[in-house]
């Protein structure tokens, strides 16, 4: 079992729809959770960070964390073609500096 | 606009050659990370430093890879000798210093070993 699991996709949604990206992790000691977006040929860039159970909203993005279920998700409202990218979930291990990345979910937003 | 810089952006070399990749972290950041990304393995942490001291290099093949921080503004990753399986994109990232902090990635070095 991988430490951080994501569905590789592609997840295809029409423009304007809600895209839901999911991630599960195995280390119960993890304290910090991140969503990065990576366009093809580019470096990962931070979308959201979340540290407490519940929802955190930033513009069209909402991160959801459930530590009991070891589950973190990212919702993208009003999806745009420019949101088409690979979304990487990252979790820190043992409250250390070490981030473990999932393999990423490729999102395609159809015009 | 503070950002992590990496050189070279692309490197093509032949098997057996030494490769050196350089990274300049964001000014004021005291944690530096080296990652490798391939289609098969995804994004893997190779090594990281805090205040220039190596904290963990367990992700690195020890016999051929080495990572150093000669000063606070420069981190290096060397591969000697290089092998075709080292072909990947190597990212450097830096962070302000807390375990909960975001890591900011550089543009990467695309390495091709023939």
């Amino acid at each position: 079992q991988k430490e951080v699991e994501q569905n590789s996709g592609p997840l295809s949604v029409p423009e304007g729809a809600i895209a839901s990206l999911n991630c599960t992790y195995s280390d119960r000691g993890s304290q910090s959770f991140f969503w990065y977006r990576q366009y093809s040929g580019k470096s990962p860039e931070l979308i959201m960070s979340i540290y407490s159970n519940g929802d955190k909203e930033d513009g069209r993005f909402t991160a959801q964390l459930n530590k009991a279920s070891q589950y973190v998700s990212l919702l993208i409202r009003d999806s745009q073609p420019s949101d088409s990218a690979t979304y990487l979930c990252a979790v820190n291990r043992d409250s250390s500096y070490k981030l473990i990345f999932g393999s990423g979910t490729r999102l395609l937003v159809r015009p | 606009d503070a950002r992590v810089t990496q050189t070279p952006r692309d490197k093509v070399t032949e098997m057996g050659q030494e490769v050196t990749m350089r990274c300049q972290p964001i000014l004021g950041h005291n944690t530096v990370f080296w990652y490798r990304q391939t289609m098969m393995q995804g994004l893997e942490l190779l090594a990281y430093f805090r205040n220039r001291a190596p904290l963990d290099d367990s992700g690195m093949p020890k016999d051929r890879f080495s990572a150093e921080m000669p000063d606070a503004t420069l981190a290096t990753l060397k591969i000697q000798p290089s092998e075709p399986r080292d072909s990947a994109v190597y990212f450097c990232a830096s962070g302000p210093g807390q375990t909960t902090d975001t890591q900011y990635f550089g543009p990467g070095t695309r390495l091709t070993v023939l």
Side-chain angles (χ1 to χ4, degrees):
Chain A
Q1 181 192 4
K2 291 185 178 180
E3 290 190 61
V4 180
E5 301 236 31
Q6 295 180 255
N7 189 316
S8 62
L11 172 65
S12 181
V13 301
E15 184 174 355
I18 295 176
S20 178
L21 305 164
N22 304 313
C23 172
T24 58
Y25 61 95
S26 61
D27 178 13
R28 286 194 172 275
S30 297
Q31 298 292 321
S32 306
F33 306 85
F34 304 88
W35 282 100
Y36 283 82
R37 178 177 63 198
Q38 187 174 26
Y39 292 112
S40 180
K42 301 296 185 181
S43 57
E45 57 177 331
L46 181 75
I47 297 297
M48 294 279 288
S49 59
I50 187 166
Y51 306 100
S52 304
N53 279 329
D55 295 358
K56 179 181 177 183
E57 187 174 318
D58 184 1
R60 296 187 296 113
F61 299 94
T62 298
Q64 299 174 317
L65 175 61
N66 184 325
K67 290 186 179 180
S69 300
Q70 295 174 244
Y71 177 93
V72 58
S73 66
L74 179 70
L75 300 178
I76 306 174
R77 289 181 298 281
D78 188 25
S79 295
Q80 301 297 309
S82 58
D83 294 327
S84 298
T86 296
Y87 289 79
L88 300 166
C89 172
V91 176
N92 81 329
R93 178 195 275 177
D94 295 328
S95 302
S96 74
Y97 294 98
K98 193 165 187 174
L99 278 189
I100 306 300
F101 282 82
S103 56
T105 297
R106 193 157 69 97
L107 173 66
L108 295 175
V109 181
R110 309 187 304 273
Chain B
D1 184 23
R3 59 184 68 188
V4 177
T5 59
Q6 290 186 247
T7 57
R9 295 293 304 274
D10 279 282
K11 176 72 176 179
V12 179
T13 191
E14 294 190 347
M15 183 173 61
Q17 297 298 305
E18 177 177 304
V19 175
T20 299
M21 291 169 269
R22 293 177 174 81
C23 166
Q24 182 172 13
I26 292 172
L27 189 65
H29 282 189
N30 62 8
T31 52
V32 175
F33 306 82
W34 282 105
Y35 289 89
R36 175 172 63 184
Q37 188 173 39
T38 62
M39 289 293 292
M40 292 298 294
Q41 299 298 325
L43 199 56
E44 304 174 284
L45 179 64
L46 297 175
Y48 64 97
F49 296 78
R50 185 166 190 268
N51 293 328
R52 296 176 54 199
L55 289 190
D56 189 338
D57 61 0
S58 59
M60 255 180 5
K62 298 291 192 302
D63 55 340
R64 298 183 301 108
F65 284 58
S66 62
E68 296 179 345
M69 278 202 75
D71 61 61
T73 63
L74 177 65
T76 63
L77 180 66
K78 291 185 180 180
I79 308 175
Q80 168 62 23
S82 57
E83 297 181 1
R85 59 178 167 158
D86 301 329
S87 297
V89 180
Y90 291 81
F91 289 107
C92 174
S94 70
Q98 300 301 315
T99 58
T100 53
D101 285 334
T102 299
Q103 295 178 21
Y104 297 88
F105 282 74
T109 294
R110 180 176 298 277
L111 174 65
T112 303
V113 183
L114 303 175

